[in-house]
Amino acid sequence: MSRKFLLVGLTGGIATGKSTVSEIFRHLGCVVIDADVLAREVVAPGEPAYAAIVAEFGPGVLQGDGTLDRKKLGAIVFADPERRGRLEAITHPRIRERFAIRLEELVEREFAGIVLFDAPVMIESGNYRNMDRLVVVITDAATQRARALERDGDREDLERRIASQMPLTEKARLADYVVDNSGGREATIAEVRRVHQALLADLTARASGS
């Protein structure tokens, strides 16, 4: 698939502020494909993955309106790596299909800018190897936990989720660029602008064939 755009993986860890970073990139003119949005699409009622999940995990993972209770399902799979693997085997192929369709649409439009694929487990899944560049969002451990607890308030669930993910220091070592989101919003904006300028330079170099 011939493409003019630079495909950039964007990842981090729970409560590192990846969504904030993603939104700043979007305001700078980048196209953002959000893996979580794709994941919600593939498990909507009527989709094949929805039926497969209910068959695997039972009707107890459904809400009253028939949609998936993602929080309940998450608590199950983050406590059991084997069951998490079964969930990923159901959802990941379908997410990859939708991702490929989005890329094809951008190729057909001859989009020639920066495309970010925002995905939390991109490194763990190995998909980061398919990106032109990798950006990792980090924060210090205390800030990460404080933000997560403020959002969800469940310390036990938080620790399970953090333990299930590769440590941020290891992710950062694989990155082409790191965004430190430990400070305030203005500091984060400055960090994203710095990385965005570097990615634009990479895109220019790619276009010129250097």
Side-chain angles (χ1 to χ4, degrees):
M1 182 171 56
S2 176
R3 49 184 168 80
K4 297 179 179 180
F5 55 81
L6 190 74
L7 181 58
V8 180
L10 178 66
T11 194
I14 184 173
T16 54
K18 183 169 58 61
S19 296
T20 297
V21 169
S22 176
E23 192 56 36
I24 297 169
F25 272 118
R26 196 190 304 271
H27 282 303
L28 291 172
C30 301
V31 169
V32 178
I33 303 173
D34 190 332
D36 192 53
V37 171
L38 299 184
R40 289 177 184 274
E41 289 175 1
V42 302
V43 301
E47 293 290 332
Y50 173 89
I53 289 170
V54 175
E56 174 69 39
F57 295 93
V61 297
L62 299 180
Q63 301 186 93
D65 62 359
T67 59
L68 278 181
D69 187 327
R70 287 164 58 90
K71 188 175 179 65
K72 185 177 292 185
L73 183 59
I76 293 170
V77 300
F78 280 107
D80 187 337
E82 184 178 336
R83 302 201 80 184
R84 183 181 181 188
R86 292 206 290 273
L87 175 64
E88 290 173 350
I90 293 169
T91 59
H92 282 191
R94 294 170 173 92
I95 292 171
R96 284 194 293 269
E97 287 172 9
R98 294 205 175 210
F99 176 61
I101 290 170
R102 302 288 166 87
L103 293 187
E104 288 168 8
E105 290 169 348
L106 290 166
V107 169
E108 289 171 4
R109 282 170 42 195
E110 297 190 340
F111 181 72
I114 296 171
V115 177
L116 283 106
F117 184 39
D118 178 348
V121 293
M122 179 178 297
I123 293 176
E124 291 89 337
S125 70
N127 194 30
Y128 75 99
R129 298 186 184 92
N130 299 319
M131 305 292 123
D132 297 321
R133 296 291 185 273
L134 178 65
V135 176
V136 173
V137 183
I138 65 168
T139 188
D140 62 85
T143 301
Q144 181 186 25
R145 282 171 168 78
R147 286 174 178 167
L149 288 173
E150 183 180 353
R151 185 177 67 193
D152 296 326
D154 188 334
R155 184 178 295 276
E156 187 176 332
D157 182 55
L158 166 64
E159 294 303 331
R160 277 199 303 267
R161 288 173 181 262
I162 290 176
S164 74
Q165 295 184 346
M166 180 186 293
L168 285 175
T169 52
E170 291 183 27
K171 290 186 177 184
R173 281 198 288 269
L174 294 170
D176 295 293
Y177 303 105
V178 172
V179 173
D180 187 343
N181 192 26
S182 301
R185 183 171 178 81
E186 290 305 312
T188 301
I189 291 173
E191 281 277 288
V192 175
R193 287 186 179 277
R194 172 184 62 81
V195 172
H196 181 247
Q197 288 300 311
L199 292 172
L200 287 175
D202 291 342
L203 177 62
T204 299
R206 175 193 177 97
S208 65
S210 60

